[in-house]
Amino acid sequence: MYFLYILFGVIFSASAQEFVEPAFVVEPYPKWYVGQRVRRDVTFDKQIGDGKVFGTLGQNDKGLFGKGGYEHQIFNDHRGTLNAQAYGTRVLGPAGDSSHLGGALNWKNPNAAASFDISKQIHGGTSVSTSTFNKTIGST
């Protein structure tokens, strides 16, 4: 009995749908525009006080990606230059998606440089990297 109700419901709903001839369908875009969309990356970079807000959105064959963050110059004097950065990224792809949060400290002066970077994948591991560079001063 239920089968008959379902059968009649499908028949009535299919017959009640509006049929539009293909000649009367209006294309929302002009013919010259269809198919001309190209890959586009959107980048944002704005100076705010001693810092800078940056971001980018884009796509490639592996999927969609986005990165945004803030970079701040803590000092720039006789001690050298110290910059700090905080950022986040998001990647969407056919194999899955991932989110990362991170930060970095970069210090340099004319004789040496050092950096510290930490990154955390959401629901994943944490990575930490450091590097230093010392210039050798030759004697005359």
Side-chain angles (χ1 to χ4, degrees):
M1 189 68 175
Y2 289 114
F3 174 74
L4 291 176
Y5 290 133
I6 294 171
L7 179 65
F8 286 122
V10 169
I11 291 172
F12 288 132
S13 65
S15 63
Q17 291 181 357
E18 181 182 354
F19 177 75
V20 178
E21 300 238 359
F24 298 116
V25 175
V26 177
E27 182 67 38
Y29 297 105
K31 287 183 180 180
W32 57 267
Y33 181 75
V34 176
Q36 291 187 4
R37 294 192 66 187
V38 295
R39 183 175 164 267
R40 184 176 91 170
D41 290 337
V42 180
T43 303
F44 178 77
D45 192 5
K46 183 171 183 177
Q47 197 74 23
I48 299 177
D50 287 340
K52 176 176 69 168
V53 176
F54 61 90
T56 185
L57 296 172
Q59 67 182 18
N60 57 20
D61 293 338
K62 296 179 183 176
L64 304 171
F65 61 88
K67 180 177 182 177
Y70 178 74
E71 185 172 358
H72 185 79
Q73 186 174 52
I74 297 174
F75 61 78
N76 184 6
D77 56 12
H78 66 280
R79 299 173 288 179
T81 302
L82 180 64
N83 293 326
Q85 184 182 61
Y87 60 88
T89 62
R90 177 82 171 149
V91 177
L92 301 173
D97 56 341
S98 67
S99 298
H100 294 264
L101 300 173
L105 284 172
N106 298 310
W107 173 80
K108 66 180 177 178
N109 71 8
N111 298 322
S115 66
F116 176 75
D117 186 28
I118 186 165
S119 177
K120 167 79 173 143
Q121 181 179 358
I122 305 298
H123 303 295
T126 301
S127 67
V128 176
S129 67
T130 61
S131 67
T132 59
F133 173 75
N134 291 325
K135 223 180 200 184
T136 57
I137 301 173
S139 60
T140 58

